[in-house]
Amino acid sequence: MDAIRQRKLIGLIGLGVRGRGAVIGVQQVREAARRGKLQLAIAAPDASSNSLDKVLPLLRARGIAVFAGPPATELGSAAGRETAAVIGIVDKGLAKGIRALGPETLADVR
């Protein structure tokens, strides 16, 4: 992903977090997926395999798209945290905007 699209992605994530259209962290993403609220997920490619192993199988089983985002520190910074392994998007409009950026799926990167 080029720098401009990554900046736009980070901006959209920040907007989603501030507007409560996104959930942060493995546990909250898992809960949103179980409840059927999750539209898509953005995972940090450098997140620990332990964290990703807790959430990726559930997301794949539910058919939820998982996109590769920026590194965990940048992903966390967009969400107002130090780091974040995964962020889930629950707002349909925000998910559509993120898909329009054309991010790579995590399987393509990892």
Side-chain angles (χ1 to χ4, degrees):
M1 179 178 277
D2 63 13
I4 293 172
R5 289 192 308 165
Q6 186 166 325
R7 248 193 338 256
K8 286 181 181 180
L9 177 63
I10 290 172
L12 286 173
I13 291 168
L15 180 67
V17 170
R18 289 188 301 277
R20 298 187 186 263
V23 293
I24 308 160
V26 171
Q27 195 59 37
Q28 287 187 347
V29 169
R30 285 172 53 92
E31 286 300 317
R34 283 188 190 126
R35 287 186 270 127
K37 303 284 185 187
L38 202 62
Q39 302 297 315
L40 64 88
I42 301 161
D46 64 340
S48 74
S49 59
N50 185 35
S51 294
L52 294 180
D53 288 345
K54 290 178 182 177
V55 71
L56 292 181
L58 174 65
L59 297 179
R60 289 195 178 115
R62 300 267 177 160
I64 298 169
V66 180
F67 296 112
T73 54
E74 291 180 36
L75 197 58
S77 173
R81 300 217 176 147
E82 193 171 315
T83 63
V86 65
I87 292 183
I89 305 298
V90 294
D91 182 76
K92 288 182 183 182
L94 182 60
K96 183 178 177 182
I98 289 173
R99 281 190 181 101
L101 289 175
E104 298 175 6
T105 59
L106 189 64
D108 295 343
V109 175
R110 226 169 145 106

